[in-house]
């Protein structure tokens, strides 16, 4: 009976080891996906910012208040993204 018990323990340890390996693999994949998402979010914000800049350049110079608000809004959005990335 002791031999059967030892075999069962070895079998369970092996399965547990496999589960840990799979978990670690999934953890790495998850981190990679999170990094990709972060990169895409940064790209999206940069493109949005570039589009805003193009729109600002095409507007007349006399409309400085809306332009300043647009720039401030973009800066705040970038600051929020940076803060979120730090968390």
């Amino acid at each position: 009976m002791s031999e059967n018990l030892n075999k069962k323990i070895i079998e369970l340890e092996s399965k547990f080891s496999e589960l840990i390996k799979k978990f670690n693999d999934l953890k790495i994949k998850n981190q990679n996906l999170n990094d990709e998402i972060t990169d895409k979010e940064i790209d999206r914000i940069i493109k949005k910012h570039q589009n805003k800049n193009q729109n600002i350049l095409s507007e007349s110079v006399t409309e400085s208040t809306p332009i300043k608000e647009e720039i401030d809004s973009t800066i705040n959005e970038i600051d929020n993204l940076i803060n979120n990335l730090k968390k």
Side-chain angles (χ1 to χ4, degrees):
M1 180 110 168
S2 173
E3 188 176 325
N4 285 339
L5 185 59
N6 284 337
K7 284 182 182 180
K8 189 66 171 175
I9 290 172
I10 291 170
E11 179 184 336
L12 289 173
E13 286 176 342
S14 174
K15 286 181 181 181
F16 184 69
S17 176
E18 287 178 38
L19 286 173
I20 290 174
K21 183 180 182 293
K22 286 181 183 182
F23 173 78
N24 288 332
D25 289 344
L26 287 173
K27 193 174 175 183
I28 290 169
K29 286 180 184 180
N30 186 45
Q31 183 61 46
N32 290 340
L33 288 173
N34 284 335
D35 291 345
E36 277 184 49
I37 289 170
T38 301
D39 289 345
K40 288 183 182 191
E41 287 176 345
I42 291 171
D43 288 344
R44 183 183 57 82
I45 289 174
I46 289 171
K47 286 180 184 178
K48 184 177 177 182
H49 183 66
Q50 288 172 340
N51 287 338
K52 285 181 181 181
N53 281 342
Q54 287 175 348
N55 290 339
I56 289 171
L57 292 175
S58 66
E59 293 176 0
S60 83
V61 177
T62 59
E63 299 177 6
S64 64
T65 302
I67 292 173
K68 184 180 180 326
E69 291 173 0
E70 190 84 17
I71 292 171
D72 289 343
S73 171
T74 303
I75 290 171
N76 288 335
E77 187 173 346
I78 292 171
D79 284 343
N80 287 336
L81 177 67
I82 292 170
N83 287 332
N84 288 337
L85 290 174
K86 288 180 181 179
K87 292 181 182 179

